[in-house]
Amino acid sequence: MPAIVSVRTDLYRIALPVVLSDSTHGDMSHFELVTVRIVDVDGVQGVGYTYTVGVNGVAVHATVERHLAPLLAGREAADIAAAWQAMWWATHYGGRGGAAVLAISAVDIALWDLAAKRAGLPLWRHLGGFDPKVPCYAGGIDLMFTLDALLEQTEGNLAKGFRAIKMKVGRARLSEDVERVAAMRARLGADFPLMVDANMRWTPDQAVAAARALQPYAPTWIEEPTIPDDVTGHARIVREGGLPVATGENFRTLWEFRQMIAAGGVTYPEPDVTNCGGVSVFMKVAALAEAFNLPVTSHGAHDLTVHLLAAAPNRSFLEAHGFGLERYIAQPLEIADGFALAPSRPGHGIEFDWAGLERTRPA
């Protein structure tokens, strides 16, 4: 079996097309992209990546470069589970989350890309295959947009082919959230999938009150209503709020998902492949959700995640995030009539503009 001969990692700082904001992260003008390129002895290359919302990318990059790359040298590229375990336990004492698991995620993604390329299959088929047409929603980062700007963004998303939309909530006054959700529902109509995302803003009491206030507008789900660490709080919000709950984008391990699902604190488990442990863990979360008869959704990295949901029979919606990475990808995600289409190219099919990215290196 072909062994790994090189591991390269790079850090880029990419300006967002517009400054974005949510209820906890404040204004976001840049995101940091950490890429990983793994080459085997036959010259086949796998590409992985992760990202931050502007902080701590240096730590992720250093973890790959100083700790994971030497660990991978000479290993069989196809032994992905063994590589994952080696990386997890090597970084465990100073990890179990944070920069360490983001670094592991990027490496794991690269290994799966390489494996699918060697098999001559698109990643979604290499993972088992279900349906390359995945329901997709536009994930707006728009908390501080004026109502007019929010509705203008909505018109643009509809024109792009989206048939489901998510908006931010968590403003200073709940009445403002209700007004904005009501306006969106009026514009979109009764049966249009509309999600709301609080980005961990509320206490459980506040989240229950918000969910009850938003019930008349029938959101598909309320996302991250409180901090990810509060398992019993989530269970209470599901039980008393009267709305489905999506959460998981800030979970960093399979076991966090197990705890939340078993406690009844989530309706739509929502892993992010770039921070939960990579493709290996994302697919385990999807299977875990299926075992509990729950639909799985996703956060971020839509060009990659479309493959994972295309391989999951219990998939719900893919989130398409507006981070502007499509400026550096040869063939960005294709969206038509509310569906994202998983590419048929071998691997995940993401081809970065490395020369363009080179101009975004931090000083």
Side-chain angles (χ1 to χ4, degrees):
M1 297 291 290
I4 294 169
V5 295
S6 71
V7 179
R8 172 175 175 170
T9 181
D10 294 283
L11 172 64
Y12 307 102
R13 183 171 170 81
I14 298 177
L16 294 169
V18 297
V19 175
L20 302 174
S21 61
D22 63 29
S23 66
T24 55
H25 297 103
D27 289 344
M28 294 171 278
S29 61
H30 293 74
F31 74 98
E32 294 173 307
L33 178 72
V34 179
T35 62
V36 174
R37 286 178 266 183
I38 297 176
V39 179
D40 70 16
V41 70
D42 292 332
V44 182
Q45 177 176 266
V47 176
Y49 68 95
T50 186
Y51 68 94
T52 79
V53 292
V55 177
N56 220 29
V58 171
V60 179
H61 177 262
T63 299
V64 177
E65 186 171 66
R66 298 184 183 185
H67 305 304
L68 303 187
L71 187 68
L72 293 167
R75 284 184 172 270
E76 299 298 336
D79 294 344
I80 301 174
W84 196 97
Q85 290 291 322
M87 293 187 292
W88 176 257
W89 289 110
T91 59
H92 186 267
Y93 192 81
R96 297 188 67 251
V101 79
L102 269 69
I104 291 170
S105 299
V107 171
D108 184 82
I109 291 164
L111 289 172
W112 277 103
D113 182 40
L114 195 159
K117 285 175 178 173
R118 290 199 66 90
L121 293 172
L123 180 58
W124 69 273
R125 277 216 164 97
H126 187 61
L127 291 169
F130 177 66
D131 185 350
K133 291 181 62 177
V134 179
C136 183
Y137 73 85
I141 306 177
D142 46 33
L143 182 68
M144 300 313 296
F145 282 17
T146 65
L147 182 55
D148 286 344
L150 177 64
L151 294 172
E152 182 180 351
Q153 174 184 259
T154 298
E155 297 302 326
N157 285 327
L158 294 173
K160 292 174 185 175
F162 287 103
R163 298 297 177 263
I165 290 174
K166 186 175 78 180
M167 61 178 290
K168 297 296 188 185
V169 293
R171 289 170 73 98
R173 290 185 290 273
L174 178 57
S175 60
E176 295 177 357
D177 286 329
V178 173
E179 178 187 12
R180 290 160 67 84
V181 174
M184 285 287 282
R185 177 54 74 203
R187 169 61 188 88
L188 296 172
D191 298 320
F192 191 99
L194 173 64
M195 299 79 165
V196 298
D197 184 358
N199 287 108
M200 310 171 285
R201 175 69 173 178
W202 299 314
T203 66
D205 281 342
Q206 292 170 324
V208 169
R212 290 174 176 174
L214 295 173
Q215 274 188 35
Y217 309 104
T220 302
W221 68 59
I222 186 168
E223 186 171 325
E224 285 204 307
T226 195
I227 58 172
D229 317 88
D230 190 351
V231 176
T232 56
H234 274 87
R236 184 181 158 219
I237 295 163
V238 170
R239 186 172 61 250
E240 299 180 16
L243 291 178
V245 169
T247 194
E249 72 180 70
N250 280 290
F251 292 175
R252 299 295 183 257
T253 72
L254 173 65
W255 304 284
E256 289 173 272
F257 281 97
R258 183 195 66 80
Q259 290 173 338
M260 188 64 76
I261 291 171
V266 59
T267 321
Y268 290 85
E270 183 193 13
D272 183 325
V273 66
T274 69
N275 68 30
C276 73
V279 175
S280 295
V281 175
F282 188 105
M283 298 310 295
K284 290 177 182 178
V285 172
L288 177 64
E290 185 178 13
F292 278 82
N293 199 27
L294 295 176
V296 67
T297 183
S298 68
H299 175 262
H302 53 253
D303 296 281
L304 168 63
T305 312
V306 65
H307 287 273
L308 312 188
L309 293 186
N314 60 322
R315 64 33 179 340
S316 59
F317 289 93
L318 171 76
E319 177 179 42
H321 230 321
F323 275 158
L325 191 58
E326 66 274 5
R327 292 171 289 168
Y328 302 98
I329 295 176
Q331 295 175 274
L333 181 68
E334 182 181 352
I335 296 167
D337 296 323
F339 291 90
L341 308 179
S344 58
R345 302 181 295 278
H348 53 51
I350 299 170
E351 297 179 23
F352 283 115
D353 173 10
W354 298 109
L357 285 173
E358 196 65 27
R359 294 191 288 272
T360 71
R361 282 189 181 276

